[in-house]
Amino acid sequence: MAGQVLEFTDATFQGEVLQSQTPVLVDFWAPWCGPCRQLAPHVEAVAGELAGQIKVGKLNVDENLNTASAYRVQGIPTLLLFKAGKVEEQIVGYVSKEALRKTLDKHLA
């Protein structure tokens, strides 16, 4: 994964996301998903811009079925913002970088 973007798995999700002291944006995606590939640069840009304020990572739904199923991810891309181990925001489908940033900013103020 690029620079600031981590890679989450079923095995690391509990420690990296649910127990994180900072908010965590999780991008549920798959390599075959066109909209996921379109969204990826926006996720990477936001990760760089908000470094230190938020943790950003991707979770491949094909390789990590347990976590995707636990959060009822039915369509991808799905972005979930976790704060203190709980889902605070959900975005399903492609969004612009501006829309993503606006959604995140209201949780970081």
Side-chain angles (χ1 to χ4, degrees), residues 4 20-25 46-56 81-83 101 104-105 107-109:
Q4 307 285 340
S20 177
Q21 299 299 309
T22 58
V24 184
L25 178 68
V46 166
E49 292 170 11
L50 297 176
Q53 298 176 63
I54 188 171
K55 188 188 295 189
V56 178
L81 178 66
F82 289 83
K83 288 174 83 176
R101 184 62 195 260
L104 294 175
D105 284 346
H107 290 280
L108 299 175

Side-chain angles (χ1 to χ4, degrees), residues 76-88:
I76 53 174
T78 290
L79 300 171
L80 296 181
L81 178 66
F82 289 83
K83 288 174 83 176
K86 300 200 179 339
V87 176
E88 292 288 320

Side-chain angles (χ1 to χ4, degrees), residues 59-106:
L59 185 129
N60 183 326
V61 297
D62 289 340
E63 297 173 355
N64 299 282
L65 297 172
N66 292 338
T67 302
S69 175
Y71 289 95
R72 295 182 176 90
V73 174
Q74 297 178 350
I76 53 174
T78 290
L79 300 171
L80 296 181
L81 178 66
F82 289 83
K83 288 174 83 176
K86 300 200 179 339
V87 176
E88 292 288 320
E89 192 77 52
Q90 175 178 335
I91 300 171
V92 178
Y94 174 84
V95 292
S96 68
K97 179 182 172 261
E98 294 74 23
L100 175 57
R101 184 62 195 260
K102 185 176 178 181
T103 298
L104 294 175
D105 284 346
K106 70 182 180 186

